[in-house]
Amino acid sequence: MPDTPDSPLTHFNARGEAHMVDIGAKGETTRVARVRGRITMQAETLALILRGDAKKGDVLGIARIAGIQASKRTAELIPLCHPIPLTRVAVDLKPDTAASAVEVEVTAETVGRTGVEMEALTAASVALLTIYDMCKAVDRGMQIEAIRLVEKLGGKSGHWQAD
């Protein structure tokens, strides 16, 4: 645990106690985060999704809406996240038949004093969890994997992109 206010772990104070970071003195900037992840499955499960034959409905459409909705609830799920006004959330789901997978890419944006990485990560996670939930009756072996931040723009740290 950190013992100084200069610790890089900003969610801990000088005494090592968890706290919400004070962003009051930060300037507002445009903030963007892009996140990717995927869910792998049996080839027949993906074919079922693509045919639109899943018993629970339009798997990809519902997963897209679930991801958007989840992004807006991030501060309720992660205790030290600030509630922020999102200006845009895009959840793009792409089937990959060669890998028997569905890839997700989420872009979250705001104009504010803190970033939107957690909102984008939450959206991607919930979109993939929704696919799992809707298809688990036919494929319990699906695997959610590689959820990660791939790009961040705005704020003091500027532009960051994964290698």
Side-chain angles (χ1 to χ4, degrees):
M1 282 192 200
D3 57 3
T4 71
D6 296 325
S7 169
L9 299 175
T10 58
H11 285 90
F12 293 97
N13 65 19
R15 295 180 304 278
E17 301 163 336
H19 73 107
M20 186 179 238
V21 175
D22 181 358
I23 60 170
K26 291 173 120 184
E28 289 193 347
T29 63
T30 298
R31 313 280 186 137
V32 180
R34 273 190 323 114
V35 166
R36 289 190 187 132
R38 64 191 244 142
I39 184 169
T40 60
M41 61 196 67
Q42 296 173 8
E44 182 51 37
T45 305
L46 182 58
L48 180 90
I49 291 169
L50 296 176
R51 286 193 311 267
D53 290 343
K55 287 186 179 183
K56 292 186 177 182
D58 175 9
V59 174
L60 300 181
I62 293 168
R64 181 176 303 104
I65 296 300
I68 293 167
Q69 185 168 343
S71 70
K72 298 188 289 183
R73 309 288 299 262
T74 300
E76 294 174 34
L77 299 169
I78 302 173
L80 301 177
C81 281
H82 291 84
I84 60 173
L86 294 164
T87 56
R88 182 172 90 94
V89 177
V91 178
D92 186 27
L93 296 156
K94 293 181 186 168
D96 179 348
T97 54
S100 294
V102 175
E103 307 275 341
V104 65
E105 181 170 297
V106 174
T107 303
E109 298 181 18
T110 191
V111 176
R113 295 180 168 147
T114 191
V116 289
E117 298 95 311
M118 297 310 300
E119 288 72 13
L121 286 161
T122 299
S125 299
V126 170
L128 295 172
L129 285 166
T130 299
I131 293 169
Y132 186 95
D133 179 54
M134 294 186 72
C135 298
K136 69 181 182 259
V138 297
D139 188 355
R140 295 198 190 279
M142 292 176 284
Q143 293 184 40
I144 295 171
E145 46 189 48
I147 299 170
R148 69 214 178 275
L149 180 69
V150 295
E151 186 174 23
K152 176 204 156 320
L153 295 144
K156 184 172 69 173
S157 60
H159 185 208
W160 176 87
Q161 198 162 9
D163 297 330

